[in-house]
Amino acid sequence: MSQDDTNTVEQSSGSLALPDQLKPQRIYLIPVQHRPFMPGLVQPVMLDKERWQATLERVSQTPHQSLGLVYVGDNDPDSVTYEDFPEFGCLVKVHALNEENGQFQMVAQGTTRFRIENWLNRKRPFMTEVSYPEPRAEADETIRAFGMAIINTIRELLPLNPLYNEGLRHYLQNFSPSDPSPLTDFAAALTSANGSELQAILETVPLKPRMEKVLTLVKKELEVARLQSQISEEVNEKVSQHQREFFLREQLKIIQRELGLSKDDKTAEAEEFRERMRALAPPESVKKKRFDDELQKLSVLETGSPEYGVTRNYLDWLTNVPWGQYSDDNLDLQHAREILEAHHSGLDDVKDRIVEFLAVGALRGEVKGSIILLVGPPGVGKTSIGKSVADTLGRKFYRFSLGGMRDEAEIKGHRRTYIGAMPGKLVQALKEAGTANPVIMLDEVDKLGQSFQGDPASALLEVLDPEQNQDFLDHYLDERLDLSHALFICTANTLDSIPGPLLDRMEIIRLSGYITEEKVQIARQHLWPRALERAGVKPSQLRISDSALRQIVEGYAREAGVRNLEKQLNKIIRKAAVKLLAGDKKLSISGKNLADFLGQPYFQTEKTQRGVGVVTGLAWTAMGGATLSVEASQVHSKQRGFKLTGQLGDVMKESAEIAYSYVASHLKDYGLSEERLDEAFLHLHVPEGATPKDGPSAGITMASALLSLLLKKRLPRKVAMTGELTLTGQVLAVGGIREKVIAARRVGIREVILPEACQRDFDELPDYLKDGLTVHFAKQYDDVFAILWGK
């Protein structure tokens, strides 16, 4: 377009056109994105010169200086075709057309909506024949009401957004406020509605539906504007309040500094450290040398330097260690028994050991210098016994697990040269407890790891030695700590993986597990009430009988501990909760309906096998004691041979071979011919072949099974036995006597054969385990044979 043409357009369009002045039948079209142009709207429009120059040159040559702006949505104006144009658009009058930086800028004045009737040119410059649909005039009170509602809403919008004022001024210059149609279109243009919503307004010609849609949009805009205004006010208020507080604090600091009433952060921290140290009783080396030196260093360092943070953290830890702070021990033995009885059912022998331990402390005046190791299967109460000891003594309790720990710095701390260095767990325990004599529980000491980072088990040697831990050195503090007043209680499931030097420093207390009667009492007194309370179920709503508890113990939770028993009780309560919420008022669990809550039992009642060649042995596992049937059978009589099955370990295989050799060499002693095995192929099997089994304690059991087969005599009574057998017929001691006795009682066997060397272990058992039990002690296998079949 030439400069002369531009001037012509500007001169001919110097004033705004009224909507009814110019309605050409043929107009050029330009597509617009983002939002449709609405009648009554006056605003600048930017157009690409290269793309739309030909169109604007033709528009400038028309007498009406008008064109149609049509909303094409997300379509690219470069590639838009006539098929992408909707039916309706807005006729605009072009004002102040200028060229700048390769673009045309014009002021567009929306005059009225049009409908495309016929395409005259389907390529750029797009040209069509159009019509101008007008709404039917309606003298309806509803129209007036809608118009007043729209005007009132616009009036409320004006104070919230000043940008609406300019648009309203242009509108009032060209339209009457009482004309509802342009008023409706203008109100829609004021909103921030999306393009499709505004296009729907443009395509709605009837006045009443259009006013309904626009009123909804304007009301929504008013709510958004109010919310935005409220948010702005709140933000401004917060900013103003923060600024005001900041200035007041700065003024207060200056005033306090002038009056000598305040200190800077460094001075305040140093004063806090001195105050803490005055309340403690550290060794002279800590107070006079280390503390004063570090405090002096802190005073000369800049607060922003990394070294300042390192020194400050060190002083913080140094003054948080409870140097010389001890709690008084409660050494009342009666009080100790009451707490142990209240917290634990059964384990009488363990309770006695704890009371004996406390009695020694009472004679000496304090409990000091002993390291207790509680060993037993999972779920028997090792951790809770440690808590009970702390409650008994009135000491603070701190527990941390050693399971999987591989870094010895967890025990002895990191040196201060490391980033993020911290003291070890023991210093942290003292800090948290606030006293230098807490009860510290080292859980899972048998599961310590070992890696290139160090050996934590070796680091514990100093901690758990009463002769060394009074001068324990933490790498972070780099000062000697007295840990001899702390009571260390360790827990483990087995002793096999604990290093010998570490085990040698501990006093071992074994927790062997519970028998059925003890489990029932624990469930009744502790587990069931606690499970009901956690689930929010009242005891009156759900009851369980002792017979049901006994069936749960024997059929679903036969392990040595009570952890699985508690899980089964929780399972019952969950299922009962569903029934209670469904409308049941009360539920009662008995042996008859127990399977409805837990399903069929996992364990069937153990029945000891009896017959020729079958003998019941007693075994120990990590989960407690168990009965073990050993079966012997003659496969054929064609040749001599011996076969073993049952996934036996090397030691157990050796025991079987020793038993076979012993029987073969003493056939005559037991009334058999020496040629009895020459043509006998024997098979010895230990059932439950999927379970690995090992150990020497089944020696006499295997020998008895072989003799029962060869003699063709079954055992006269239900007898269980355990003991290691040698080639010369000696019966050697074995371990796990308590667990094995419990296993025998569980299956109803009341007669057992034990090695004579184990009589001391049996005598130490509680009376309730020995009650009603017939025990034979054998020194030689001849004693076993005499007990079983007589001499």
Side-chain angles (χ1 to χ4, degrees):
M1 184 182 293
S2 65
Q3 186 65 36
D4 294 338
D5 291 338
T6 305
N7 293 337
T8 303
V9 173
E10 290 175 350
Q11 291 171 2
S12 64
S13 59
S15 60
L16 296 177
L18 295 177
D20 295 329
Q21 283 181 340
L22 300 172
K23 289 187 178 181
Q25 298 303 309
R26 297 181 176 185
I27 59 174
Y28 291 97
L29 302 184
I30 293 180
V32 294
Q33 286 184 301
H34 308 307
R35 285 164 59 92
F37 210 91
M38 300 295 291
L41 192 63
V42 178
Q43 68 180 28
V45 176
M46 301 292 293
L47 297 172
D48 184 71
K49 177 182 177 181
E50 180 180 353
R51 189 183 303 133
W52 302 112
Q53 182 173 2
T55 302
L56 291 175
E57 285 178 350
R58 299 193 182 194
V59 169
S60 65
Q61 295 170 5
T62 63
H64 48 76
Q65 302 289 311
S66 299
L67 59 84
L69 296 181
V70 185
Y71 172 66
V72 294
D74 296 330
N75 294 311
D76 186 5
D78 290 339
S79 59
V80 70
T81 65
Y82 78 96
E83 295 176 342
D84 298 322
F85 284 81
E87 187 180 4
F88 281 82
C90 179
L91 182 70
V92 300
K93 182 75 166 60
V94 178
H95 299 277
L97 180 63
N98 293 303
E99 178 187 348
E100 183 177 351
N101 296 329
Q103 287 190 318
F104 285 121
Q105 181 176 359
M106 66 178 182
V107 177
Q109 175 197 358
T111 57
T112 185
R113 59 175 44 80
F114 65 81
R115 174 187 287 132
I116 298 174
E117 299 292 348
N118 185 31
W119 282 90
L120 301 177
N121 191 4
R122 297 185 176 186
K123 297 182 179 179
R124 284 190 302 220
F126 299 109
M127 189 175 187
T128 61
E129 289 184 347
V130 298
S131 63
Y132 299 95
E134 294 292 338
R136 185 169 53 85
E138 300 181 40
D140 190 351
E141 292 297 325
T142 306
I143 299 296
R144 289 183 58 196
F146 272 120
M148 293 177 64
I150 292 174
I151 291 173
N152 290 334
T153 307
I154 293 175
R155 186 181 294 119
E156 292 183 58
L157 273 171
L158 292 178
L160 299 175
N161 193 339
L163 296 177
Y164 298 141
N165 290 323
E166 186 67 21
L168 183 62
R169 184 176 65 80
H170 287 299
Y171 171 78
L172 293 176
Q173 289 177 358
N174 301 282
F175 298 93
S176 169
S178 60
D179 190 351
S181 181
L183 173 66
T184 304
D185 294 334
F186 169 72
L190 285 181
T191 67
S192 57
N194 58 44
S196 59
E197 291 177 324
L198 291 180
Q199 183 66 25
I201 299 296
L202 195 63
E203 295 178 357
T204 304
V205 178
L207 194 55
K208 187 182 295 184
R210 194 190 335 156
M211 296 183 84
E212 288 180 1
K213 293 179 180 180
V214 171
L215 184 59
T216 301
L217 292 180
V218 177
K219 289 288 186 184
K220 188 186 299 182
E221 189 73 16
L222 178 60
E223 291 300 320
V224 172
R226 283 175 176 169
L227 181 59
Q228 182 179 2
S229 176
Q230 179 182 351
I231 293 172
S232 298
E233 288 178 2
E234 291 178 358
V235 171
N236 291 334
E237 182 180 350
K238 289 181 179 179
V239 171
S240 300
Q241 181 68 20
H242 290 163
Q243 290 177 339
R244 181 172 176 272
E245 291 177 357
F246 173 76
F247 288 126
L248 287 175
R249 285 196 193 97
E250 291 302 313
Q251 292 174 0
L252 181 60
K253 286 181 181 179
I254 295 173
I255 293 171
Q256 289 178 335
R257 194 177 300 121
E258 291 295 327
L259 295 176
L261 300 177
S262 69
K263 308 180 181 92
D264 58 15
D265 293 340
K266 186 193 297 186
T267 307
E269 287 181 340
E271 218 25 73
E272 181 183 356
F273 293 145
R274 288 193 185 94
E275 192 66 30
R276 286 188 197 170
M277 190 57 79
R278 277 195 288 268
L280 302 174
E284 287 298 317
S285 61
V286 174
K287 189 170 185 179
K288 295 297 183 183
K289 186 178 180 182
R290 179 73 65 177
F291 178 72
D292 291 342
D293 289 350
E294 294 294 329
L295 205 58
Q296 177 64 28
K297 185 195 299 184
L298 187 75
S299 65
V300 299
L301 290 171
E302 290 296 328
T303 55
S305 70
E307 186 66 21
Y308 178 86
V310 172
T311 305
R312 187 208 167 280
N313 289 340
Y314 177 79
L315 285 169
D316 185 45
W317 276 104
L318 192 67
T319 55
N320 269 309
V321 175
W323 305 98
Q325 306 299 304
Y326 303 102
S327 59
D328 296 330
D329 289 341
N330 184 351
L331 298 174
D332 183 358
L333 299 186
Q334 183 60 34
H335 171 72
R337 287 192 179 93
E338 290 173 358
I339 288 184
L340 291 172
E341 288 295 337
H343 292 183
H344 302 275
S345 295
L347 302 178
D348 291 337
D349 53 339
V350 176
K351 294 175 187 174
D352 291 340
R353 290 287 300 276
I354 297 294
V355 172
E356 292 166 4
F357 171 75
L358 297 177
V360 173
L363 291 175
R364 191 169 52 184
E366 67 170 332
V367 176
K368 178 182 177 182
S370 294
I371 316 296
I372 299 175
L373 174 61
L374 302 175
V375 184
V380 295
K382 298 184 294 295
T383 303
S384 58
I385 282 181
K387 293 179 181 178
S388 299
V389 171
D391 292 341
T392 298
L393 291 172
R395 292 190 182 187
K396 298 290 185 179
F397 180 77
Y398 184 87
R399 170 195 167 273
F400 67 94
S401 176
L402 299 174
M405 184 181 292
R406 296 177 299 172
D407 189 357
E408 58 106 16
E410 294 283 339
I411 304 295
K412 306 198 74 172
H414 302 82
R415 300 191 185 277
R416 275 196 286 167
T417 53
Y418 293 108
I419 297 297
M422 289 185 66
K425 289 286 188 182
L426 298 167
V427 175
Q428 295 178 39
L430 297 182
K431 175 189 173 184
E432 185 169 325
T435 62
N437 63 338
V439 174
I440 300 177
M441 171 160 279
L442 308 179
D443 226 349
E444 312 294 351
V445 73
D446 58 328
K447 298 175 181 62
L448 277 169
Q450 189 173 356
S451 73
F452 65 91
Q453 293 170 300
D455 182 6
S458 298
L460 281 176
L461 293 176
E462 180 185 3
V463 177
L464 300 182
D465 190 338
E467 300 299 324
Q468 297 182 41
N469 62 14
Q470 58 187 354
D471 288 320
F472 173 73
L473 181 65
D474 183 89
H475 290 160
Y476 180 83
L477 292 180
D478 202 22
E479 286 293 337
R480 298 288 177 178
L481 274 172
D482 185 3
L483 298 179
S484 62
H485 296 275
L487 174 59
F488 291 95
I489 300 179
C490 306
T491 70
N493 296 127
T494 62
L495 302 178
D496 303 340
S497 57
I498 303 177
L502 186 60
L503 190 62
D504 186 56
R505 287 163 164 79
M506 306 178 191
E507 181 179 352
I508 299 173
I509 298 179
R510 295 185 179 274
L511 288 78
S512 302
Y514 303 101
I515 60 175
T516 301
E517 289 77 8
E518 290 175 331
K519 283 189 176 182
V520 171
Q521 291 302 315
I522 292 171
R524 174 64 67 193
Q525 298 175 14
H526 300 283
L527 303 182
W528 182 253
R530 184 170 63 191
L532 289 176
E533 183 180 356
R534 288 178 177 174
V537 179
K538 297 179 180 178
S540 59
Q541 294 178 293
L542 185 61
R543 299 179 182 276
I544 188 168
S545 66
D546 287 343
S547 62
L549 290 175
R550 180 175 291 274
Q551 286 189 32
I552 295 172
V553 171
E554 295 180 345
Y556 302 86
R558 196 176 281 180
E559 78 286 350
V562 294
R563 195 168 287 147
N564 192 38
L565 173 59
E566 187 172 14
K567 291 178 183 177
Q568 300 301 325
L569 296 178
N570 288 330
K571 184 177 180 180
I572 290 175
I573 292 175
R574 288 196 299 271
K575 289 187 177 293
V578 176
K579 296 180 179 292
L580 291 173
L581 292 176
D584 292 344
K585 297 293 182 66
K586 293 182 180 180
L587 288 174
S588 190
I589 313 298
S590 64
K592 296 180 180 179
N593 64 352
L594 183 62
D596 298 337
F597 292 86
L598 295 180
Q600 294 302 314
Y602 305 140
F603 304 99
Q604 300 300 323
T605 303
E606 288 186 27
K607 294 182 179 179
T608 55
Q609 301 181 36
R610 298 189 65 189
V612 175
V614 180
V615 177
T616 302
L618 298 173
W620 178 90
T621 69
M623 299 298 291
T627 55
L628 203 65
S629 295
V630 177
E631 302 173 349
S633 174
Q634 181 171 337
V635 181
H636 57 75
S637 58
K638 295 180 180 180
Q639 62 181 6
R640 182 172 182 149
F642 184 57
K643 182 179 181 181
L644 290 171
T645 54
Q647 197 169 348
L648 310 181
D650 291 338
V651 176
M652 202 165 186
K653 288 179 180 178
E654 291 177 357
S655 295
E657 292 171 358
I658 290 171
Y660 180 80
S661 298
Y662 174 79
V663 170
S665 62
H666 292 78
L667 289 174
K668 194 172 182 181
D669 296 342
Y670 302 118
L672 296 168
S673 66
E674 295 182 354
E675 295 79 20
R676 177 67 177 85
L677 291 178
D678 290 344
E679 298 178 352
F681 190 96
L682 303 184
H683 185 174
L684 192 69
H685 175 64
V686 183
E688 298 184 19
T691 304
K693 295 169 279 290
D694 202 3
S697 62
I700 64 172
T701 309
M702 292 175 171
S704 300
L706 291 172
L707 282 174
S708 173
L709 172 67
L710 296 174
L711 292 170
K712 297 182 181 180
K713 293 182 179 179
R714 57 181 290 177
L715 297 188
R717 305 175 301 282
K718 292 173 63 175
V719 181
M721 63 190 71
T722 182
E724 180 180 355
L725 180 64
T726 70
L727 283 173
T728 57
Q730 296 183 57
V731 180
L732 302 183
V734 293
I737 296 300
R738 177 188 174 111
E739 290 87 349
K740 293 174 179 178
V741 168
I742 290 174
R745 295 182 66 95
R746 186 169 62 229
V747 297
I749 295 178
R750 292 294 184 268
E751 185 174 358
V752 295
I753 301 174
L754 303 177
E756 187 179 71
C758 294
Q759 184 167 357
R760 175 177 172 274
D761 297 332
F762 179 80
D763 292 340
E764 291 179 353
L765 294 180
D767 291 337
Y768 65 85
L769 285 181
K770 296 186 288 186
D771 187 34
L773 203 64
T774 301
V775 182
H776 306 281
F777 296 102
K779 187 175 181 180
Q780 299 282 337
Y781 185 77
D782 289 342
D783 301 332
V784 178
F785 187 85
I787 295 168
L788 295 178
W789 293 289
K791 293 185 179 180

